[in-house]
Amino acid sequence: MRIGVYIDGFNLYYGGRGLCGRSTTGWRWLDLSALASSLIVRHSHWQDPVIETVTYCTARVSGLSNPHGQREQDVYLRALERSGSATRISYGNYVARIATAPLATAGRNGKPVISHPQWPLMVQDGADQDVPNARFMASIARREEKGSDVNVASHLLIDILTGAVDAAVVISNDSDLAYPIAFARHQVPVGVVNPTKGYRAGKLAGDHTDGVGNHWWYQMQPSDWYEHQLPHAIGQRITKPQEW
């Protein structure tokens, strides 16, 4: 059984950071192929699985705003290619935008709670009357990663519809992938891996018997990162960053 593995790189990275800790060492030098192989063996019931392709979808970090991050990402991408841990790297891009939104704090389950004026900081109208139902608005600069989810969906569907794979594993908890994954389940068995510490996105749920059946779901644990690391040195020029 030929397996295609499709990874949302940023969803995986931020999932690992949330589970393992941003400043913790030992998890970022992740061997994608070894991870996928282990997950398939432990959580699927697929017969004689062989990983045909590992597609890693990401976007290049800008060296202008984050030169250190760019250098580290570049080393990791070269390590994935040189080691064969990823057979295909597909790039989206960053978009810089100005966003305007109401000031808010994190409420229950992390949902935003809009902030309203209250003394000692109050908003008043032209007649010096309090306006407690007013909102504080903020305009901020933000950079958004675009394209990774689209690339995951595109490679997944192209490989399935051209007969390049007999089953698929998608590593992402992005609900935007709900439709292509649901379609894929009617063509081949699909494993969906949640790399985050949050609940699985409801739209990615399903039944083991949907479509062709033999599907599975799994939520990653910190050990999945720590136990599947690339060699410290790959060739003579690629070395794991010291902070990793």
Side-chain angles (χ1 to χ4, degrees):
M1 176 179 276
R2 300 165 301 161
I3 314 298
V5 181
Y6 308 89
I7 302 168
D8 182 336
F10 283 90
N11 206 257
L12 177 64
Y13 169 74
Y14 284 106
R17 197 170 84 171
L19 281 166
C20 302
R22 181 172 184 173
S23 59
T24 304
T25 61
W27 62 271
R28 281 180 282 181
W29 197 237
L30 184 62
D31 187 334
L32 303 178
S33 181
L35 169 68
S37 179
S38 176
L39 294 179
I40 291 167
V41 169
R42 288 187 286 136
H43 302 289
S44 80
H45 297 287
W46 299 342
Q47 298 297 313
D48 302 319
V50 176
I51 293 180
E52 185 76 12
T53 182
V54 177
T55 301
Y56 183 68
C57 300
T58 187
R60 289 278 190 179
V61 173
S62 171
L64 294 177
S65 60
N66 187 3
H68 182 70
Q70 183 194 47
R71 289 192 296 270
E72 288 190 334
Q73 184 194 45
D74 184 65
V75 170
Y76 183 57
L77 294 174
R78 289 190 290 115
L80 292 178
E81 291 180 320
R82 181 68 63 84
S83 67
S85 183
T87 56
R88 179 168 55 193
I89 299 178
S90 186
Y91 293 102
N93 60 284
Y94 277 102
V95 176
R97 292 179 176 172
I98 297 296
T100 302
L103 193 66
T105 57
R108 188 176 181 180
N109 297 326
K111 294 184 178 180
V113 176
I114 304 300
S115 299
H116 294 284
Q118 57 182 335
W119 292 106
L121 183 63
M122 178 56 69
V123 174
Q124 292 186 332
D125 61 20
D128 295 331
Q129 297 298 308
D130 294 350
V131 188
N133 292 325
R135 294 184 299 173
F136 299 107
M137 300 298 295
S139 178
I140 62 171
R142 61 182 298 177
R143 291 175 57 81
E144 297 180 2
E145 184 273 324
K146 306 290 288 184
S148 287
D149 53 350
V150 175
N151 288 339
V152 168
S154 298
H155 288 295
L156 168 70
L157 296 179
I158 289 170
D159 286 352
I160 289 174
L161 294 176
T162 59
V165 299
D166 304 310
V169 175
V170 178
I171 301 180
S172 177
N173 196 40
D174 188 341
S175 61
D176 288 344
L177 295 172
Y179 183 80
I181 288 176
F183 176 87
R185 291 191 188 116
H186 287 270
Q187 313 299 318
V188 299
V190 178
V192 178
V193 178
N194 175 7
T196 77
K197 64 180 180 180
Y199 292 110
R200 180 182 64 205
K203 291 183 179 180
L204 298 182
D207 192 274
H208 297 282
T209 59
D210 288 344
V212 300
N214 208 9
H215 314 298
W216 54 276
W217 290 260
Y218 174 69
Q219 183 165 20
M220 289 179 64
Q221 303 299 313
S223 59
D224 293 313
W225 275 271
Y226 292 121
E227 293 174 3
H228 301 96
Q229 294 286 296
L230 292 165
H232 182 81
I234 299 172
Q236 296 182 346
R237 296 186 178 183
I238 302 175
T239 304
K240 176 181 177 179
Q242 186 175 0
E243 299 88 347
W244 289 24

